[in-house]
Amino acid sequence: MSAAEKGWKDVPKGGLILDAGNAMEYETGDWRTYKPVWDEEKCIHCMICWVFCPDSSIKVEDGKMVGIDYKHCKGCGICSFECPRKAIEMVLETEENGEAGACE
Amino acid sequence: MSRRVAITGNEAAAEAMRQINPDVVAAYPITPATEIVQIFADFVANGDVDTEFVAVESEHSAMSATIGASAAGARAMTATASQGLALMWEMLYIAAGLRLPIVAPIVNRALSAPINIHCDHSDTMGARDSGWIQIYSEDAQEAYDNIIQAVRIAEHPDIKLPCMVTMDGFIVSHGMGNAELLDDDVVQKFIGEYKPEHYLLDVDNPITVGALDFSDWYFEHRRQLADAHTRVKDVVLQIAKEFKEISGREYKLFDAYRLDDAEVAIVVINSAAGTAKTVVDQLREKGLKVGLLKIRLFRPFPYEEISEALAGVKAVAVLDRADSLSLMGGPLYIDLRAAMYDAPGPRVKMVNYIYGLGGRDINMEQIAGVYDDLFEIAKTGEIKQAVTYLGVRE
């Protein structure tokens, strides 16, 4: 059962958290206003965005930038600001998804 | 064998706590509840109980330490009154929100200002929306019996809610009365071993207690709280039935006294019910059909049962020992009027008397006067004044 399908009868009483390691399940990127959009063509994989990202939301595989973790990115724009090739553009979530605050 | 003793309300509460033998008691002294934990501290010092007694620096800390102990898995208790309960305020909501089955005897006392140490119900009435179960007691016997039953009610798997058991400050807490106390082993067998489902000291099953719960789940957890309260009255009745088997004493959601054929009735909480019952007996001897309903379980409010019990009555006076300052009367009156809105049959005329604030005595003549007023209302169908301050100097 996904979190969206659960009702008040399905969750532990009193707000207790019964499972360890549950921070992995907590998606903190659902209150972003601006969304970073990565242009793979312009990217030189310098990893400056990865160094600066305060939320570890730059996805990396084999030493290369492969995308952005929108479940945890809060849209601060530091990656876009620091990128030497302007390969990350900040776009309003509302323009991207048609509604405020939508995540992916 | 049970013991029949002369005992004050505070002594009876301390005796119940000794027999319950909780794992942890954290408390701070406040008149008129001081004696409860003072006597209990003697039990701890003398080795009569196994309790860890935590002497804290305030009632806020008392409730905080009790919550911590309860969350850790302990059977935990505290006791307080008046300003002490007020200082526990934010922690009361946390105890209920975390679904911790803490039991706390509360001795009813007025709230300042002006400063006053005597009885009224402003303290616990102010905590009525905190999520705690509230059980009111007329005398030392009821306080003792209710505290023991409260352990079972609070810890019941369907409930898991904190429960306060109240008695009137000085009138009951310091007044010597006649009570029958159960044997220690009978009480122990009745309450049984506390087996919490989830607790912090369960190191094999680590949990988080009191985590941040924003707009995504807070509402669901508060909804659970309301759901737990819907099951309280059935559990209260079930525990009362079991308690009767060990004590012979019968408890219900409320006490209906000579109410069956009553034309007019008074609804009252705690010690004033004793005085009012004597008035009922005297008026009944004169052939007047008067009755009384004494509240026991106030939170959750058994509104269906109460409105059913009062449905045949022509006029009802609700006696409140607290004011709500809503200008619609005291808290009990407001709840009861709402309960009676959907009662079957003709609309019952209802009036409110706010009495006894700050320990002002209420006497038999005043209560007889209320019944006179009710007969007049029943006869004329006219309410001249809905809310009356009874016994105040005009």
Side-chain angles (χ1 to χ4, degrees):
Chain A
M1 201 186 296
S2 76
E5 290 165 338
K6 282 184 184 171
W8 59 268
K9 291 173 187 167
D10 308 311
V11 290
K13 291 186 184 78
L16 297 186
I17 297 172
L18 305 179
D19 305 309
N22 53 74
M24 292 290 285
E25 295 162 22
Y26 190 28
E27 296 177 6
T28 54
D30 61 355
W31 42 274
R32 191 171 48 231
T33 305
Y34 285 91
K35 176 181 185 173
V37 178
W38 176 54
D39 184 344
E40 196 172 356
E41 298 294 315
K42 292 183 188 166
C43 181
I44 56 169
H45 303 283
C46 65
M47 294 295 130
I48 286 176
C49 60
W50 177 81
V51 170
F52 276 89
C53 177
D55 278 308
S56 302
S57 293
I58 303 299
K59 292 185 192 171
V60 177
E61 275 174 28
D62 301 327
K64 285 192 169 181
M65 159 83 167
V66 294
I68 293 160
D69 173 8
Y70 290 119
K71 285 179 178 170
H72 297 93
C73 166
K74 294 172 189 68
C76 70
I78 290 175
C79 56
S80 174
F81 182 83
E82 296 292 343
C83 179
R85 298 299 292 265
K86 302 293 171 208
I88 300 175
E89 188 190 354
M90 299 305 290
V91 180
L92 261 177
E93 283 281 352
T94 46
E95 284 175 20
E96 184 78 4
N97 297 316
E99 58 176 296
C103 179
E104 287 203 315
Chain B
M1 283 292 288
S2 58
R3 298 170 283 148
R4 183 157 284 283
V5 294
I7 199 165
T8 68
N10 278 345
E11 288 167 353
E15 189 64 5
M17 287 173 72
R18 183 188 65 76
Q19 294 181 314
I20 290 164
N21 193 7
D23 300 311
V24 175
V25 168
Y28 190 82
I30 182 165
T31 300
T34 300
E35 277 181 335
I36 296 176
V37 283
Q38 185 183 330
I39 296 165
F40 188 78
D42 273 350
F43 294 145
V44 176
N46 294 337
D48 296 329
V49 288
D50 307 307
T51 308
E52 184 74 32
F53 186 85
V54 190
V56 289
E57 76 279 18
S58 74
E59 285 85 359
H60 188 281
S61 303
M63 185 49 71
S64 299
T66 309
I67 287 169
S70 182
R75 183 176 263 159
M77 297 181 74
T78 186
T80 193
S82 182
Q83 308 297 131
L85 187 67
L87 190 52
M88 286 182 180
W89 187 251
E90 65 168 340
M91 304 315 293
L92 292 178
Y93 281 71
I94 291 169
L98 292 176
R99 308 293 299 278
L100 300 172
I102 295 162
V103 172
I106 308 291
V107 181
N108 284 117
R109 166 187 149 182
L111 289 171
S112 297
I115 197 163
N116 183 295
I117 58 167
H118 290 282
C119 176
D120 71 36
H121 302 156
S122 308
D123 49 3
T124 53
M125 282 296 159
R128 71 190 186 278
D129 298 340
S130 64
W132 282 59
I133 297 166
Q134 289 194 337
I135 298 175
Y136 287 78
S137 319
E138 180 185 326
D139 53 23
Q141 180 76 72
E142 289 193 6
Y144 170 84
D145 291 346
N146 284 334
I147 291 165
I148 292 167
Q149 290 175 74
V151 174
R152 290 282 308 280
I153 296 163
E155 292 174 3
H156 194 283
D158 292 345
I159 306 296
K160 291 187 188 172
L161 289 170
C163 181
M164 58 179 75
V165 175
T166 90
M167 66 174 112
D168 281 352
F170 290 106
I171 301 162
V172 173
S173 68
H174 288 62
M176 189 71 73
N178 190 329
E180 194 175 86
L181 308 182
L182 299 163
D183 277 349
D184 292 1
D185 59 342
V186 171
V187 174
Q188 271 298 313
K189 198 178 160 203
F190 180 77
I191 62 169
E193 192 189 342
Y194 175 45
K195 290 175 185 161
E197 191 182 355
H198 304 292
Y199 55 103
L200 286 168
L201 288 181
D202 182 3
V203 292
D204 295 326
N205 300 289
I207 58 165
T208 300
V209 176
L212 196 65
D213 199 18
F214 275 152
S215 42
D216 47 359
W217 285 110
Y218 177 89
F219 201 172
E220 280 69 27
H221 290 123
R222 298 307 291 188
R223 178 67 187 84
Q224 290 176 337
L225 198 56
D227 181 61
H229 275 274
T230 64
R231 290 187 292 270
V232 170
K233 67 183 182 188
D234 286 346
V235 171
V236 166
L237 290 172
Q238 179 207 316
I239 302 299
K241 198 175 157 192
E242 288 181 42
F243 189 77
K244 191 185 175 186
E245 285 166 19
I246 63 162
S247 68
R249 292 184 288 277
E250 189 164 19
Y251 286 91
K252 295 174 182 171
L253 301 174
F254 53 85
D255 185 10
Y257 187 73
R258 306 188 82 163
L259 192 60
D260 277 348
D261 63 339
E263 287 174 17
V264 299
I266 281 177
V267 181
V268 66
I269 290 179
N270 280 10
S271 65
T275 315
K277 281 187 233 175
T278 306
V279 176
V280 168
D281 290 342
Q282 288 180 352
L283 296 178
R284 281 277 178 178
E285 274 175 34
K286 292 180 187 170
L288 297 170
K289 289 186 174 178
V290 296
L292 177 139
L293 190 147
K294 180 184 74 183
I295 300 293
R296 180 177 180 237
L297 180 67
F298 181 65
R299 279 295 179 272
F301 195 56
Y303 63 95
E304 290 161 312
E305 292 80 357
I306 291 174
S307 66
E308 203 174 300
L310 292 172
V313 176
K314 288 177 185 158
V316 170
V318 180
L319 271 54
D320 264 293
R321 204 166 196 146
D323 198 351
S324 73
L325 304 176
S326 68
L327 308 184
M328 294 197 300
L332 178 60
Y333 177 63
I334 292 169
D335 275 6
L336 253 172
R337 283 234 294 178
M340 295 303 286
Y341 190 83
D342 290 324
R347 178 69 55 85
V348 177
K349 297 283 179 189
M350 297 182 75
V351 285
N352 187 210
Y353 293 83
I354 291 169
Y355 75 99
L357 300 188
R360 176 70 48 85
D361 280 333
I362 184 166
N363 61 37
M364 290 166 63
E365 290 73 25
Q366 288 168 327
I367 293 171
V370 170
Y371 280 117
D372 285 345
D373 293 352
L374 287 175
F375 278 118
E376 184 66 20
I377 290 166
K379 197 172 91 183
T380 63
E382 193 186 335
I383 293 173
K384 288 182 182 141
Q385 189 175 343
V387 181
T388 303
Y389 290 85
L390 183 65
V392 75
R393 288 192 291 265
E394 296 296 345

